[in-house]
Amino acid sequence: MEDDLLVERAAEGDDDAFAVLVDRHSPPLLALALRMLGSLPDAEEAVQDALINAWRRLPDFHRDATFRTWMYRIVTNQCLSHLRGRAPAVPLSVVPEPPAHDPGSEPARAAESEAATQALGRALRDLPPSQRACWILRELHGMSYAEIAQIVNTSEQTVRGRLYRARRTLMKEMAPWR
């Protein structure tokens, strides 16, 4: 069943339709929150709060965006609010999917890969939250500039600028690993 029909039914009070939307969209939303916040409990709480907010605001959903984009925006805003409300030095233990472990790989190469992954995690953690959100949405979730602009409530030009600065910072931080 298409999201549009499920959204319409859910807005009319159909709990089962909303449950299908939750089941369909929760995994990528949780992945986004986990990458933004670096903590599974915090990510689960952010997604849960976002879903509760969405359920309450569903009758007001104007469909100027897709349900998916709308949910990404709510979760991103929830994560940014959470990041503003806590100390900045929180370790980011979840980074982009590392390459699958090859049992035949050399231990030295595995250690180097692990160190590079940790360096990327630190570099991502040190990005300003607005740049981190744009980078994660683009590079890890494959969203377009227009979708990201809708999600973070800014212009495409601002998204491009944030991505440029984030990429430049990450390239500088990861230069020793090339």
Side-chain angles (χ1 to χ4, degrees):
M1 194 176 282
E2 295 292 322
D3 279 359
D4 292 339
L5 181 56
L6 290 168
V7 168
E8 191 174 311
R9 287 184 178 176
E12 294 170 353
D14 184 345
D15 294 344
D16 293 333
F18 191 71
V20 171
L21 289 168
V22 168
D23 288 343
R24 185 176 292 170
H25 295 281
S26 288
L29 295 173
L30 183 59
L32 167 65
L34 190 54
R35 288 177 176 128
M36 288 286 298
L37 300 174
S39 158
L40 184 58
D42 289 345
E44 289 172 337
E45 182 179 343
V47 171
Q48 182 178 11
D49 289 347
L51 289 168
I52 290 169
N53 288 338
W55 174 249
R56 289 180 181 149
R57 295 176 24 207
L58 204 51
D60 301 326
F61 177 53
H62 297 294
R63 294 174 183 82
D64 56 338
T66 65
F67 179 77
R68 173 181 173 258
T69 303
W70 187 60
M71 283 306 307
Y72 268 85
R73 182 177 187 175
I74 294 171
V75 170
T76 299
N77 287 338
Q78 193 74 33
C79 291
L80 291 172
S81 293
H82 184 83
L83 287 169
R84 282 190 290 270
R86 74 174 186 198
V90 175
L92 183 65
S93 60
V94 177
V95 294
E97 296 292 327
H101 177 67
D102 178 11
S105 67
E106 300 173 21
R109 187 161 177 95
E112 183 178 331
S113 177
E114 177 64 24
T117 300
Q118 289 177 0
L120 179 58
R122 284 189 301 276
L124 281 171
R125 180 195 68 229
D126 292 342
L127 286 176
S130 60
Q131 289 179 22
R132 186 183 331 157
C134 290
W135 189 88
I136 289 170
L137 290 167
R138 176 69 179 177
E139 302 301 333
L140 303 181
H141 291 266
M143 296 197 161
S144 69
Y145 295 125
E147 288 174 312
I148 297 168
Q150 275 189 316
I151 290 167
V152 299
N153 197 30
T154 193
S155 70
E156 285 186 52
Q157 188 66 24
T158 300
V159 168
R160 289 178 193 277
R162 288 177 183 172
L163 283 169
Y164 171 79
R165 288 187 296 280
R167 288 174 179 147
R168 188 179 63 198
T169 300
L170 291 173
M171 283 177 47
K172 181 179 172 186
E173 293 297 319
M174 296 306 292
W177 298 100
R178 285 194 212 168

